[in-house]
Amino acid sequence: MGALKIGEDVKGDSVSLKLAGPIDEDANFPNIDLSSFKEITFDFLSVTAINSCGIREWIRWIGNIKPDSKVTYVNCPKVIIDQVNMVDGFLPVNAKIASFFVPYFCESCDNLDTKIYSDPSGIASGAVKVPPQVPCSKCKQPAEIDVIETKYFKFLKK
Amino acid sequence: MDSDRLTYMNAIAKKLEATTNFVVQNLPADEVIGLIVAKGATSIIQENSPDFELEKQFVKTIEQNASSFFSDPLKTILGASLIDQTQINFKESVQKSETIEKVKAWLSGVKGAKRLDDAIYLIVDELFTNAIYNALPFFVGLNDGLDRREKVDLTDRKTCKLFVGYNERRLILGCSDSFGSLNIVKLITQLHSTYLKGIAGSIKYGAGGAGVGSRLMFDSCINFYIGVREHEQTTVALGLPIGPNARGIDTSFKNIHLIRSNE
């Protein structure tokens, strides 16, 4: 478990940022001016955790994104969706979530799976339909959705 | 600290001088904290909680002997239902990752704990940083904790211990330090602020912690135990649901206990 790493891919006035590791007090955000980009994509696929200082540093870092920039969050794990749901400003105004993970837990073999959801029309309309059960990737027994849906999908109404 | 805030905190402190227990039904988290602020509740337990009997027993125990919580928190919380426990000592800020990994490794053998990985990480992280960065400065009378990027070593001063235990339905994560510097009123005031102003509106951007860690922990748990023996010991513990019915437990309905002892 090391410090947060962020990969940057700049193409003209667009930037794609891939985050890996925990977002906490040790996070060193790249010294790039987010206000200079019209399109910004944050990829959270490899984010492992976030704590209270991480939330503060994140909000501080994204604070200078221009309101008319197109901001997209992709591959959001549960820890990121939880913050989007709880903390105003964690997802900038007008930003969109393009894909996120839904956790499933198998009582039979104690396995935790995650399934990605990326249906743009479902996300846009707020009518996300995810199966309440999926076959466990380890034992094939039914694994049940491991979130309270009314709470977890609250961000779709933001 | 401005004088209005100080007056407000003094008023809460006054209400909390007496031990006042409340049994409630389906009271949401914000109203639980509101009840502490308004009525000086020192224990609030939810009647429909699966742990209602254990919670009642806990209240009874600390009424008779609050010091038992400080000497053996896991036994005081879980009683005879405690299945297994461990403890990890730490004294340096650089031990955070290692401490989190030790907890997760120990819990890897506990059925149902894997689904709590995110909450466990968060809670251990926040407990650890509070103990390492806040306990000492608050002990010596400072208002803010240390900068979270500073390297801190408590060697030759005090030590901190993280403890973990579980029964069939509940996992307890907690931390004790030997400073006893946690200001319960300040913590409750800050928690209350996160409900009034939102988490983002309550974040502190100055030195020290962000000021919202207690809210993040509170959101993750169903039981919150905050104990202080002034200048002697702070013990904070949180309960999370495990076991076959854990998924169905709504973490909005929380039990909370504020425990003070002069013994």
Side-chain angles (χ1 to χ4, degrees):
Chain A
M1 190 168 56
L4 179 74
K5 290 187 174 63
I6 303 180
E8 301 168 39
D9 183 13
V10 178
K11 284 180 184 147
D13 55 10
S14 300
V15 63
S16 179
L17 297 148
K18 286 189 178 181
L19 297 92
I23 304 177
D24 61 14
E25 58 279 1
D26 295 321
N28 284 312
F29 293 106
N31 193 19
I32 58 171
D33 181 10
L34 293 177
S35 68
S36 63
F37 296 100
K38 286 185 179 162
E39 268 191 59
I40 306 169
T41 302
F42 294 102
D43 185 340
F44 295 96
L45 180 65
S46 302
V47 168
T48 52
I50 184 162
N51 67 7
S52 56
C53 288
I55 293 171
R56 173 176 65 186
E57 299 313 315
W58 179 261
I59 290 177
R60 208 195 314 246
W61 188 49
I62 63 169
N64 67 341
I65 293 175
K66 283 188 178 165
D68 58 348
S69 297
K70 188 184 168 195
V71 181
T72 310
Y73 285 17
V74 299
N75 296 323
C76 301
K78 182 174 177 289
V79 289
I80 294 300
I81 295 298
D82 285 344
Q83 307 321 316
V84 171
N85 281 329
M86 277 198 309
V87 185
D88 285 338
F90 192 89
L91 179 74
V93 180
N94 300 327
K96 298 285 175 221
I97 291 177
S99 54
F100 60 91
F101 287 92
V102 179
Y104 287 86
F105 183 67
C106 175
E107 296 274 6
S108 302
C109 73
D110 211 33
N111 180 44
L112 187 69
D113 277 335
T114 56
K115 302 288 176 197
I116 193 154
Y117 187 90
S118 59
D119 173 21
S121 59
I123 292 173
S125 67
V128 166
K129 283 195 172 64
V130 294
Q133 287 184 345
V134 297
C136 171
S137 63
K138 274 191 179 169
C139 73
K140 308 301 174 201
Q141 291 297 307
E144 288 183 27
I145 189 166
D146 202 31
V147 289
I148 296 174
E149 287 162 82
T150 49
K151 284 186 181 172
Y152 195 62
F153 298 132
K154 207 170 77 177
F155 69 93
L156 295 166
K157 300 190 168 51
K158 283 197 170 188
Chain B
M1 191 180 301
D2 64 57
S3 64
D4 285 350
R5 187 172 163 85
L6 197 60
T7 307
Y8 176 68
M9 283 175 57
N10 283 339
I12 298 172
K14 184 89 185 150
K15 289 175 194 165
L16 287 172
E17 276 174 5
T19 299
T20 317
N21 306 320
F22 282 81
V23 176
V24 296
Q25 280 191 334
N26 290 340
L27 195 69
D30 58 332
E31 293 182 35
V32 165
I33 300 304
L35 192 55
I36 296 173
V37 171
K39 304 277 186 191
T42 48
S43 276
I44 300 173
I45 58 176
Q46 306 268 356
E47 196 168 12
N48 45 342
S49 158
D51 289 319
F52 182 58
E53 291 304 322
L54 265 183
E55 287 290 294
K56 265 201 320 190
Q57 184 56 46
F58 178 82
V59 170
K60 200 172 162 188
T61 305
I62 56 168
E63 270 180 351
Q64 290 167 352
N65 179 18
S67 63
S68 69
F69 176 71
F70 296 95
S71 57
D72 194 345
L74 287 170
K75 197 77 181 167
T76 309
I77 294 168
L78 296 178
S81 68
L82 177 64
I83 293 171
D84 199 4
Q85 62 180 305
T86 190
Q87 98 173 36
I88 298 154
N89 295 333
F90 59 92
K91 55 190 176 186
E92 292 178 66
S93 52
V94 293
Q95 291 175 293
K96 188 176 89 170
S97 297
E98 167 195 327
T99 303
I100 293 171
E101 289 309 320
K102 279 181 183 170
V103 172
K104 286 171 81 168
W106 188 80
L107 285 171
S108 64
V110 178
K111 191 167 167 54
K114 193 168 174 49
R115 57 184 291 275
L116 297 170
D117 263 2
D118 293 344
I120 291 164
Y121 187 110
L122 173 85
I123 289 169
V124 174
D125 183 316
E126 298 290 344
L127 289 173
F128 181 98
T129 48
N130 282 340
I132 284 284
Y133 292 100
N134 288 345
L136 172 62
F138 292 171
F139 182 73
V140 297
L142 298 174
N143 274 329
D144 287 314
L146 299 168
D147 187 310
R148 294 302 202 258
R149 292 190 182 206
E150 274 189 38
K151 283 201 164 44
V152 177
D153 185 349
L154 301 174
T155 309
D156 298 332
R157 292 171 188 260
K158 310 268 184 177
T159 56
C160 310
K161 72 172 180 198
L162 203 108
F163 53 86
V164 192
Y166 66 96
N167 69 5
E168 285 184 352
R169 286 202 304 261
R170 206 160 21 143
L171 170 70
I172 303 291
L173 295 163
C175 186
S176 284
D177 67 61
S178 44
F179 292 99
S181 58
L182 177 72
N183 183 331
I184 290 182
V185 173
K186 198 172 164 187
L187 184 146
I188 293 298
T189 307
Q190 187 63 19
L191 250 179
H192 196 220
S193 161
T194 65
Y195 287 108
L196 298 176
K197 298 194 284 187
I199 294 177
S202 303
I203 290 176
K204 292 177 182 168
Y205 286 93
V212 294
S214 55
R215 170 63 189 275
L216 300 184
M217 290 196 290
F218 192 50
D219 277 351
S220 304
C221 76
I222 50 169
N223 316 84
F224 200 9
Y225 310 87
I226 304 156
V228 181
R229 282 198 302 148
E230 212 173 334
H231 304 307
E232 297 288 335
Q233 186 179 342
T234 297
T235 296
V236 174
L238 298 98
L240 308 174
I242 54 169
N245 300 315
R247 184 181 299 113
I249 295 172
D250 192 335
T251 54
S252 305
F253 305 120
K254 299 167 194 303
N255 306 286
I256 188 165
H257 306 275
L258 311 179
I259 307 128
R260 278 164 303 177
S261 169
N262 297 318
E263 292 166 39

